[in-house]
Amino acid sequence: MENSEIARLLAETADLMEIAGEDPFRIRSYRNAVSAIEAYPEPLETMGRQPGRSFTEIPGIGKGLASAIREILERGSFERRDEMLAKYPPTVLPMLRLQGVGPKTLRALIEHFHISTMDDLERICAEQRLRTLPRMGAKLEEKILRSISQFRQSAGRFTLDFAANVVEDLAKHLGEVTPAGSFRRGKETVGDIDLLMTSKDPAGAIQRFVSYPGIKEVLAKGENKASAKVGFEGIQVDLRVLPAESFGAALQYFTGSKEHNVALRTRAVHRRLTLNEYGLFRQEGGERVAGETEHGVYEALGLAWIPPELRENSGEIEAAETGSLPRLIERSDIRGDLHMHTRESDGRATLEEMAEAAKTLGYQYIAITDHSKALAMANGLDEKRAVAFARRVREFNRQNGGVYVFSGLECDIKRDGSMDLAEDALAELDFVVGSIHSYMNMEAEEMTDRLLRALESPSLRALGHPTGRVLLHREAFPFDFARIAEAAAARGVALEINASPERLDLHAPLLRAAKAKGCRFVISTDAHHCKHLENMRFGVLMARRGWLGPSDVLNTLPLEQFKAALRIS
DNA sequence: GCCGTTTTCGGCCCGACTGTTTTCAGTCG
């Protein structure tokens, strides 16, 4: 069993305990354990088999949780979870994710209306019965209904990191598979996963697939194709086993997008060719022109091979025809990571651990950007602590020859657009990221003014997660993006591509718009522990979808050039 | 439930908004 699954069971139990109104400190311990386990580099299952070792080695895990973990590894659940599930069915849990619904409200709803699903809650709100409860009114009914509808829209979609884990696991089980579909295009959320492979023994490959232990339900099983729901969340995976001669055509076909494929097929027809998932053929005589490789298919259509991230029929075919496709940024171009948190605020690792992890990734530099004081819950830094931290970082760099650390801050942009910390304190820091974490329900005009004012701050280097969206959860807040991009370009403030798979903010259309306005970018992980640093790849995918090359992204610069860009000696 | 002790108990990040009230509980970050 994976660490993430153990963490999920504990988190679910903590949610249920919260609804039941149990001791908040005990619940906090569970939540601490969840993030400790998620961040833990070693599989607990392996660790549990090693004599002389105990889960209490992990900070945040004591005797009680260690025994719960042992129980989970033995039988897939533990006593307290079973108890809680006897009280409340797991179907109540998704309702906790709705805006305006917390554990207390949910408990009141369950007790008064005996609801157990989101459908029940929707009905209560639609019938305007929620308002019969104390302290609940029409506004909450509306808010919940809005939130339910948004939840429905995102249901059945998954974040990229989740899909990546499924793909990696399946690849271990199946051998060489090639993902296609929106996953291969690097779309920020995916609905299902398409996997392709070639094999001399298709039946054997299909059999291996349907016997994968993570499979929840086999939806279809044929000679060359099978579909199944995989994992607890039930993401659909389609596997296709193909003959080698049509692999490239199939890869092209199943990678899409639909719009891109329509344009390609039209192009083929103009050339008296026909393109399908089996290959590219002459209309007269049916002779195969291409199909073994994707490159061959594009070449036969008079096009350069198009990177999957660009295949949205938004100019890439024209560029491929004229040989003007951009040289896209790659993960190996990245020299540093400029947004991360440590224990100083709400991160889990120390500055030293982050620097070490960055070194392993081959980086030359990082910026530590903990939260500022407005995020009290994250133990954000005030002026005094920020300046002291900058001193500590300078000391670290003197003593340490490895990765160069820039002192930074993720400074809250307050309601009026001013910075959370005084400018003289910010001036002590090397790299200030400005981010909005509150008052996201402003009108567009007010929000635009707020961001414009923030961009006036002389210390600001980058605008963090600029639209504030959280995938599958919260929409971007409204503002005039074109004006902000123009102002950022004029002020020399970089726009962040936040690589956290929950955000992936900015996304492709905005990146292209911003690039056209002359903006520069940084790709940053917003890591809260060392493992998160690996999310850089998702940020790079986003940048590629936005047609960005290395010269558009500041953290491709080697250390000395980056310092020069910041005017740091 | 964890942790660290002033070591077997007592403390454990908190400030502000929202919608509902008419003084504040619950949510959010």
Side-chain angles (χ1 to χ4, degrees):
Chain A
M1 185 183 291
E2 304 229 0
N3 288 0
S4 56
E5 177 66 5
I6 297 168
R8 190 187 65 76
L9 294 174
L10 291 173
E12 176 187 289
T13 309
D15 282 346
L16 291 167
M17 284 161 66
E18 211 163 10
I19 297 168
E22 294 201 18
D23 175 23
F25 293 111
R26 177 176 292 180
I27 293 164
R28 182 183 300 169
S29 295
Y30 273 68
R31 299 217 188 279
N32 275 338
V34 168
S35 64
I37 292 169
E38 279 172 346
Y40 206 68
E42 204 182 333
L44 266 52
E45 188 161 14
T46 321
M47 188 174 161
R49 281 196 294 264
Q50 291 169 359
R53 298 193 64 189
S54 160
F55 298 128
T56 54
E57 283 171 36
I58 305 167
I61 309 279
K63 272 167 67 181
L65 281 165
S67 97
I69 294 168
R70 278 196 300 275
E71 210 180 329
I72 288 173
L73 288 171
E74 273 166 30
R75 63 178 192 90
S77 185
F78 63 108
E79 197 180 340
R80 184 172 284 273
R81 175 168 178 268
D82 297 340
E83 264 169 42
M84 299 314 304
L85 284 173
K87 262 191 185 156
Y88 304 108
T91 51
V92 303
L93 290 171
M95 286 188 271
L96 272 184
R97 308 274 100 83
L98 297 173
Q99 316 256 327
V101 180
K104 303 274 172 60
T105 306
L106 185 51
R107 183 185 179 186
L109 293 171
I110 293 169
E111 283 175 3
H112 283 82
F113 297 116
H114 305 287
I115 63 168
S116 58
T117 66
M118 202 171 295
D119 290 346
D120 298 340
L121 177 57
E122 187 173 34
R123 203 174 48 247
I124 298 287
C125 292
E127 291 169 358
Q128 308 195 333
R129 286 162 61 203
L130 190 82
R131 59 185 72 177
T132 60
L133 256 53
R135 293 195 162 271
M136 298 191 198
K139 287 231 174 135
L140 186 62
E141 282 172 351
E142 274 170 40
K143 189 176 186 176
I144 291 175
L145 285 173
R146 252 198 328 272
S147 189
I148 290 178
S149 115
Q150 204 185 319
F151 183 91
R152 294 256 164 76
Q153 276 173 29
S154 59
R157 293 200 71 82
F158 301 87
T159 53
L160 212 44
D161 63 324
F162 176 84
N165 283 333
V166 173
V167 169
E168 276 162 33
D169 258 20
L170 269 163
K172 273 183 220 157
H173 182 79
L174 288 172
E176 197 164 323
V177 290
T178 306
S182 51
F183 179 79
R184 182 167 181 238
R185 299 202 311 281
K187 212 154 182 268
E188 44 268 61
T189 63
V190 301
D192 55 18
I193 297 174
D194 295 298
L195 295 178
L196 307 181
M197 66 188 296
T198 57
S199 172
K200 292 198 176 90
D201 173 24
I206 294 289
Q207 193 50 43
R208 245 192 343 278
F209 174 62
V210 299
S211 66
Y212 172 64
I215 285 199
K216 199 173 160 192
E217 183 190 356
V218 176
L219 300 169
K221 183 188 159 197
E223 278 174 42
N224 298 301
K225 189 199 149 183
S227 297
K229 297 266 182 194
V230 171
F232 170 79
E233 292 81 358
I235 187 170
Q236 182 169 332
V237 180
D238 296 337
L239 176 73
R240 290 181 171 80
V241 187
L242 303 150
E245 70 267 21
S246 59
F247 182 79
L251 183 57
Q252 194 291 311
Y253 182 88
F254 289 111
T255 296
S257 66
K258 194 194 283 177
E259 293 74 17
H260 176 89
N261 285 357
V262 167
L264 274 197
R265 285 198 295 271
T266 307
R267 188 179 174 89
V269 168
H270 288 320
R271 293 168 177 244
R272 310 182 64 80
L273 297 165
T274 178
L275 177 63
N276 57 36
E277 65 262 52
Y278 304 105
L280 183 64
F281 304 93
R282 283 197 206 295
Q283 282 181 347
E284 284 161 40
E287 179 201 348
R288 172 188 290 273
V289 179
E292 193 170 344
T293 67
E294 242 188 5
H295 281 79
V297 171
Y298 282 99
E299 195 186 342
L301 291 169
L303 298 171
W305 178 80
I306 300 173
E309 296 91 336
L310 302 187
R311 299 183 195 171
E312 303 290 344
N313 194 31
S314 55
E316 75 279 10
I317 294 173
E318 294 77 359
E321 182 168 37
T322 56
S324 54
L325 283 168
R327 141 67 160 111
L328 297 179
I329 187 166
E330 291 171 19
R331 167 62 187 79
S332 55
D333 294 320
I334 301 289
R335 306 288 172 84
D337 193 335
L338 300 168
H339 184 161
M340 68 189 68
H341 300 267
T342 67
R343 289 191 197 165
E344 200 68 29
S345 64
D346 62 348
R348 292 204 68 89
T350 61
L351 185 168
E352 290 77 12
E353 287 164 344
M354 281 300 201
E356 189 58 35
K359 195 170 148 189
T360 312
L361 292 173
Y363 290 155
Q364 296 179 0
Y365 54 88
I366 56 173
I368 304 279
T369 56
D370 274 302
H371 288 291
S372 64
K373 64 176 190 260
L375 255 76
M377 163 248 191
N379 188 25
L381 279 65
D382 59 12
E383 282 81 357
K384 208 173 147 201
R385 282 177 65 204
V387 171
F389 182 72
R391 268 202 304 276
R392 209 187 123 205
V393 167
R394 282 195 289 272
E395 188 56 30
F396 175 87
N397 284 328
R398 264 197 296 278
Q399 312 239 331
N400 193 297
V403 166
Y404 188 88
V405 178
F406 293 103
S407 62
L409 188 75
E410 183 181 18
C411 187
D412 251 61
I413 297 171
K414 294 198 286 187
R415 184 178 208 164
D416 63 358
S418 64
M419 289 285 144
D420 186 25
L421 262 53
E423 282 297 341
D424 58 343
L426 294 181
E428 296 282 317
L429 300 164
D430 301 323
F431 198 83
V432 174
V433 179
S435 300
I436 283 181
H437 292 114
S438 57
Y439 311 105
M440 292 189 224
N441 55 352
M442 285 180 165
E443 295 297 317
E445 204 173 325
E446 206 183 348
M447 187 61 92
T448 307
D449 289 344
R450 178 186 183 182
L451 286 163
L452 286 173
R453 176 161 178 209
L455 288 170
E456 296 294 316
S457 164
S459 305
L460 188 69
R461 304 294 193 171
L463 195 58
H465 44 72
T467 79
R469 75 170 180 177
V470 178
L471 291 166
L472 311 180
H473 182 66
R474 187 175 72 207
E475 301 279 325
F477 48 70
F479 65 103
D480 185 340
F481 182 76
R483 278 185 69 195
I484 298 307
E486 263 166 37
R491 308 262 330 154
V493 173
L495 299 183
E496 177 181 273
I497 302 170
N498 189 293
S500 162
E502 274 77 51
R503 290 191 183 269
L504 296 175
D505 177 15
L506 299 166
H507 66 293
L510 295 183
L511 288 171
R512 292 182 74 177
K515 181 176 172 171
K517 300 273 184 199
C519 286
R520 305 290 294 277
F521 305 89
V522 292
I523 311 178
S524 309
T525 60
D526 201 351
H528 283 67
H529 55 68
C530 298
K531 258 192 191 175
H532 284 162
L533 294 172
E534 293 164 22
N535 288 333
M536 183 59 78
R537 58 186 173 138
F538 301 118
V540 170
L541 273 176
M542 233 22 58
R544 290 170 64 84
R545 288 177 61 80
W547 292 55
L548 301 189
S551 60
D552 296 310
V553 176
L554 288 174
N555 50 323
T556 60
L557 291 173
L559 177 61
E560 291 310 319
Q561 286 180 43
F562 184 75
K563 276 185 177 174
L566 294 183
R567 295 192 188 80
I568 293 171
S569 55

